């Protein structure tokens, strides 16, 4: 366990009400001593202020009850960036006290996702450290030790109320339109009453004594001063009757004994600060800095959830997103460096990040922008890395027989501008290899091509292919194509769009696509290099020209309905 004397924390000041300094003491000891103090008003204010010096130590503490949500990933990222920017430590702690819902699989998934994002922790599972263990389920002895300390000091008392009694208290409070706080039934019980219940074996919880008056104030690094009235809280449980500690108690003990200097977390944890601050004070622990980050919102400004689509880091990884794009985009959800720049590497984010530039308001998760940003990152990769990533994807998908080589390089170069996600590369190459000629000619967009005499161009193209002229030119690569197409245009007295649109349709079966020359050369290579898996839906040049020979151009007349058989080629 860490030595508390060395902890680089905040200093917390307890500001008593002027009328009653003794009200800071809690009831303890024998009954007469308890009665004399409990009869007085318990009233104080707590204000957290920064201490001088000390190392920055931040933590990310996920619960392993599911996948790593993008909101949690952003919280982890902000903690990581702050630690690295300040030369501090980034600690990973697993909060697995929810024994029914916590799973080893979820923990492993969270660790995998954090590693994928590049957020390496300095202490935690798999690494260790002098402040461990780093799983709450392995720290129960520590919680019990501090719970007993609070019991002995009188900050905590045993509560023997049954569930039925507690429900009745809530009902009465609701009828009186009061907050559902604990009424203090066992707060002033005599020692004899407590001993009697213990002798009967009555289950009990540990409840924390909350002052009846006063306010808690913190200076949140993002939100400024935040305060709460203590009379809205009521005495709260820190240890359940089954001996399991409650979340707020665990978190306080963990953060204090792990010497956490800054707690950067989601704003939904802001209400927890009140209970935690009281526990810090009762145990004599100075409070850390608090910074509560706004929620990530869906486009309709509701809380981002599964109904809005993918929300977990693992889902985005499987969809083909790059970790550097995810990190870049998550950093911009509520933070910016004050410039128009939107693209940052993780190293640049460390250099630029300050907690003061984190916004208070919620950030909208825009999946369209994330996709666009991923495309920018993907295309900015070194060509070797981009070829490797996409080449492996094509081979794994069963489209190509190899993951590297000239064909892969040329295909990536040709198709990369239309690829935003790694998974897009499969569709892009499959589309390139296909030949939907009949569908294109039968479409509304195909009508102008038909009216422009595409059938005449087809006749000349077939002749060029049958003579070997076209194949010979394509074997020479791009220079051979350029020479051939120039002569072909002169032969037909066509140029520009009038030449290249019919050629695109006849050679690729499509109206749109990347550069027609590079496409045609690549298709020729696909048929001669053996780089494409035969079952990948690739239509070779021999097959394309066979289809061209069988086209009944008159069937595409606007006056003649297209037969069902004609569109099945």
């Amino acid at each position: 366990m860490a030595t508390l004397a060395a902890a680089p924390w905040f200093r917390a000041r307890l500001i008593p009400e002027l009328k009653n300094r003794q009200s800071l003491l809690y009831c303890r000891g024998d009954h007469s001593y308890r009665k004399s103090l409990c009869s007085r008003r318990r009233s104080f204010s707590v204000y957290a202020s920064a201490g001088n010096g000390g190392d920055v130590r931040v933590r990310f503490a996920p619960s392993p009850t599911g996948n790593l949500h993008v909101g949690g990933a952003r919280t982890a990222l902000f903690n990581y960036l702050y630690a690295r920017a300040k030369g501090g430590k980034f600690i990973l702690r697993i909060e697995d006290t929810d024994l029914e819902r916590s799973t080893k699989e979820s923990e492993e998934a969270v660790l995998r996702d954090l590693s994928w994002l590049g957020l390496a922790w300095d202490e935690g599972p798999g690494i260790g450290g002098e402040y461990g263990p780093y799983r709450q389920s392995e720290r129960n002895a520590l919680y019990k030790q501090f719970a007993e300390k609070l019991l002995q000091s009188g900050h905590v008392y045993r509560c023997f109320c049954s569930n039925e009694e507690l429900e009745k208290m809530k009902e009465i409070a609701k009828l009186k339109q009061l907050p559902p706080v604990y009424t203090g039934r066992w707060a002033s019980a005599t020692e004899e009453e407590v001993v009697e219940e213990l002798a009967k074996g009555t289950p009990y919880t540990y409840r924390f004594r909350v002052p009846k008056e006063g306010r808690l104030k913190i200076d949140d690094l993002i939100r400024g001063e935040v305060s709460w009235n203590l009379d809205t809280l009521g005495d709260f449980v820190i240890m359940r009757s089954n001996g399991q500690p409650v979340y707020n108690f665990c978190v306080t003990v963990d953060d204090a004994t792990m010497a956490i200097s800054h707690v950067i977390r989601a704003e939904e944890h802001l209400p927890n600060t009140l209970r935690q601050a009281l526990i810090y004070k009762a145990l004599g622990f100075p409070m850390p800095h608090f910074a509560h980050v706004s929620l990530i919102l869906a486009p309709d400004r509701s809380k981002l959830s599964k109904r809005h689509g993918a929300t977990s880091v693992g889902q985005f990884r499987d969809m083909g997103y790059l970790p550097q794009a995810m990190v870049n985009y998550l950093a911009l959800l509520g933070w910016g460096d004050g410039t128009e720049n939107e693209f940052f590497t993780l190293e640049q984010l460390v250099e630029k990040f300050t907690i003061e530039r984190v916004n208070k308001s919620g950030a909208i998760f825009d999946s369209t922008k994330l996709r666009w940003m991923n495309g920018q990152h993907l295309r900015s990769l070194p060509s070797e890395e981009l070829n490797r990533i996409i080449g492996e994807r094509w081979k794994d998908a069963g489209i190509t027989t190899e993951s590297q080589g000239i064909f892969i390089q040329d295909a990536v170069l040709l198709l990369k501008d239309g690829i935003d996600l790694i998974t897009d590369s499969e569709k892009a190459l499959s589309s390139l290899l296909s030949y939907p000629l009949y569908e294109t000619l039968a479409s509304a967009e195909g009508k102008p091509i038909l009216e422009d005499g595409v059938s005449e161009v087809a006749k000349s193209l077939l002749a060029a292919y049958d003579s070997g002229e076209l194949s010979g030119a394509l074997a020479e690569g791009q220079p051979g194509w350029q020479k051939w197409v120039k002569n072909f245009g002169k032969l037909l007295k066509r140029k520009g769009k009038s030449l290249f649109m019919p050629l695109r349709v006849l050679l690729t079966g499509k109206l749109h696509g990347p550069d027609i020359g590079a496409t045609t050369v690549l298709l020729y290579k696909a048929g001669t290099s053996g780089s494409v898996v035969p079952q990948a839906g690739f239509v070779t040049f021999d097959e394309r020209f066979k289809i061209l020979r069988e086209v009944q151009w008159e069937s595409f007349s606007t006056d003649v309905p297209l037969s069902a058989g004609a569109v099945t080629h």
Side-chain angles (χ1 to χ4, degrees):
M1 186 179 73
T3 56
L4 302 183
W9 301 308
F10 261 45
R11 304 300 178 193
R13 289 192 291 120
L14 188 66
I15 308 174
E17 300 292 333
L18 297 177
K19 293 182 181 180
N20 186 13
R21 291 187 63 85
Q22 279 188 299
S23 64
L24 300 180
L25 301 175
Y26 286 88
C27 306
R28 57 183 173 179
D30 62 27
H31 177 53
S32 60
Y33 178 67
R34 179 188 297 109
K35 184 175 181 180
S36 65
L37 288 179
C38 285
S39 63
R40 303 181 182 183
R41 296 168 58 201
R42 291 183 285 147
S43 172
F44 63 85
S45 297
V46 176
Y47 182 80
S49 59
N52 296 321
D55 296 328
V56 167
R57 289 176 57 82
V58 300
R59 51 75 165 176
F60 177 57
S63 175
T65 56
N67 296 320
L68 179 62
H69 188 272
V70 290
R74 185 191 59 170
T75 299
L77 174 61
F78 282 0
N79 274 279
Y80 175 90
L81 295 177
Y82 190 79
R84 294 291 178 265
K86 297 293 185 180
K89 300 290 186 182
F90 174 54
I91 293 92
L92 178 62
R93 185 175 72 228
I94 303 298
E95 297 188 343
D96 57 351
T97 51
D98 188 342
L99 301 179
E100 292 183 0
R101 297 175 60 222
S102 297
T103 66
K104 191 67 177 176
E105 291 75 20
S106 289
E107 178 183 325
E108 291 173 353
V110 169
L111 301 186
R112 183 170 59 250
D113 289 345
L114 289 173
S115 297
W116 180 72
L117 290 171
L119 307 183
W121 52 97
D122 301 299
E123 300 173 24
I127 295 178
E130 60 179 312
Y131 293 86
Y134 293 92
R135 293 183 183 85
Q136 285 186 339
S137 60
E138 299 171 7
R139 298 171 65 84
N140 274 336
L142 189 66
Y143 306 138
K144 291 177 180 178
Q145 173 189 334
F146 282 105
E148 289 300 323
K149 180 180 179 180
L150 291 176
L151 182 66
Q152 294 301 316
S153 66
H155 291 89
V156 159
Y157 60 88
R158 294 183 180 91
C159 172
F160 296 90
C161 288
S162 64
N163 290 333
E164 291 76 15
E165 290 176 297
L166 295 174
E167 286 299 321
K168 188 173 182 180
M169 290 179 194
K170 290 181 182 179
E171 290 175 9
I172 293 173
K174 186 176 181 180
L175 290 173
K176 294 181 178 181
Q177 296 184 326
L178 296 173
V181 298
Y182 179 66
T183 59
R185 161 73 178 83
W186 285 92
S188 57
T190 65
E191 192 168 338
E192 291 77 11
E193 290 174 317
V194 172
V195 170
E196 181 181 349
E197 294 301 321
L198 289 174
K200 291 191 293 185
T202 306
Y204 61 88
T205 59
Y206 280 14
R207 279 192 184 273
F208 189 94
R209 297 183 190 274
V210 177
K212 301 306 179 188
E213 296 180 15
R215 292 177 65 79
L216 169 75
K217 297 179 182 179
I218 64 167
D219 186 16
D220 192 282
L221 296 178
I222 295 174
R223 301 177 180 281
E225 185 177 290
V226 183
S227 64
W228 298 265
N229 287 327
L230 296 179
D231 60 6
T232 62
L233 184 55
D235 296 350
F236 57 88
V237 174
I238 66 163
M239 295 284 283
R240 299 182 180 90
S241 58
N242 62 0
Q244 287 296 311
V246 170
Y247 169 78
N248 282 300
F249 183 56
C250 295
V251 168
T252 306
V253 171
D254 288 342
D255 286 344
T257 57
M258 289 183 176
I260 300 302
S261 64
H262 297 72
V263 174
I264 304 172
R265 59 188 181 185
E267 67 173 326
E268 58 192 354
H269 288 288
L270 188 58
N272 293 327
T273 310
L274 176 53
R275 290 177 173 85
Q276 292 166 15
L278 294 172
I279 298 171
Y280 274 113
K281 179 58 189 174
L283 289 173
F285 294 139
M287 287 203 296
H289 294 268
F290 286 101
H292 288 90
V293 183
S294 62
L295 296 177
I296 295 180
L297 306 176
D300 62 1
R301 302 201 68 82
S302 63
K303 185 177 178 181
L304 187 67
S305 64
K306 292 179 181 179
R307 66 186 177 89
H308 299 108
T311 58
S312 73
V313 171
Q315 285 176 298
F316 285 105
R317 181 185 62 245
D318 294 341
M319 289 165 62
Y321 285 86
L322 296 172
Q324 52 267 51
M326 287 298 301
V327 164
N328 190 165
Y329 184 70
L330 290 175
L332 297 181
L333 289 178
W335 174 87
D337 70 342
T339 71
E340 296 297 317
N341 184 28
E342 290 188 301
F343 293 93
F344 301 91
T345 63
L346 186 57
E347 292 74 19
Q348 290 168 336
L349 287 170
V350 169
E351 181 183 343
K352 298 284 187 180
F353 185 82
T354 61
I355 200 72
E356 291 77 16
R357 294 203 64 85
V358 176
N359 297 328
K360 296 180 185 179
S361 56
I364 303 294
F365 191 90
D366 185 344
S367 56
T368 301
K369 183 169 184 179
L370 171 59
R371 183 186 178 94
W372 169 80
M373 180 169 281
N374 193 83
Q376 301 299 312
H377 276 277
L378 189 69
R379 288 182 283 277
S380 69
L381 291 174
S383 57
E384 297 81 5
E385 185 177 357
L386 182 61
N387 292 338
R388 178 186 59 78
I389 292 174
I390 295 181
E392 289 176 354
R393 187 79 189 191
W394 284 338
K395 189 174 187 297
D396 292 343
I399 302 174
T400 61
T401 59
E402 57 189 11
S403 61
Q404 55 185 338
I406 297 299
F407 175 80
I408 298 297
Q409 294 174 20
D410 291 347
V412 171
L413 182 63
L414 179 66
L415 299 174
K416 66 179 183 178
D417 287 344
I419 298 173
D420 286 332
L421 305 179
I422 297 171
T423 48
D424 290 348
S425 63
E426 296 176 30
K427 182 178 179 181
L429 184 56
S430 294
S431 175
L432 184 86
L433 298 173
S434 68
Y435 190 60
L437 177 66
Y438 278 92
E439 290 86 343
T440 299
L441 293 175
S443 69
E445 283 187 283
K447 184 178 179 181
I449 304 297
L450 291 166
E451 293 175 346
D452 190 36
V454 68
S455 60
E456 296 303 316
V457 178
K459 290 178 183 179
S460 298
L461 185 62
L462 279 165
Y465 186 73
D466 291 342
S467 67
E469 177 187 321
L470 177 58
S471 298
L474 294 177
E476 298 177 15
Q478 195 70 13
W481 160 265
Q482 290 174 347
K483 182 179 178 181
W484 176 85
V485 79
K486 183 178 180 180
N487 292 331
F488 190 69
K490 287 181 179 179
L491 176 67
L492 299 182
K493 295 183 173 54
R494 286 174 176 257
K495 60 182 179 179
K497 185 178 179 180
S498 179
L499 171 64
F500 289 105
M501 278 303 292
L503 280 177
R504 177 179 295 280
V505 170
L506 296 171
L507 290 168
T508 72
K510 307 173 191 72
L511 289 162
H512 310 287
D515 178 77
I516 180 59
T519 297
T520 306
V521 171
L522 185 64
L523 288 170
Y524 176 79
K525 287 181 181 178
T528 57
S529 65
S531 300
V532 177
V533 174
Q535 296 80 18
F538 174 42
V539 181
T540 66
F541 269 174
D542 281 345
E543 293 169 330
R544 290 172 193 236
F545 281 97
K546 181 181 179 182
I547 292 171
L548 269 180
R549 294 181 208 283
E550 297 173 353
V551 174
Q552 298 176 13
W553 296 103
E554 64 276 8
S555 68
F556 292 101
S557 168
T558 54
D559 300 324
V560 181
L562 185 66
S563 66
V567 298
T568 59
H569 285 76

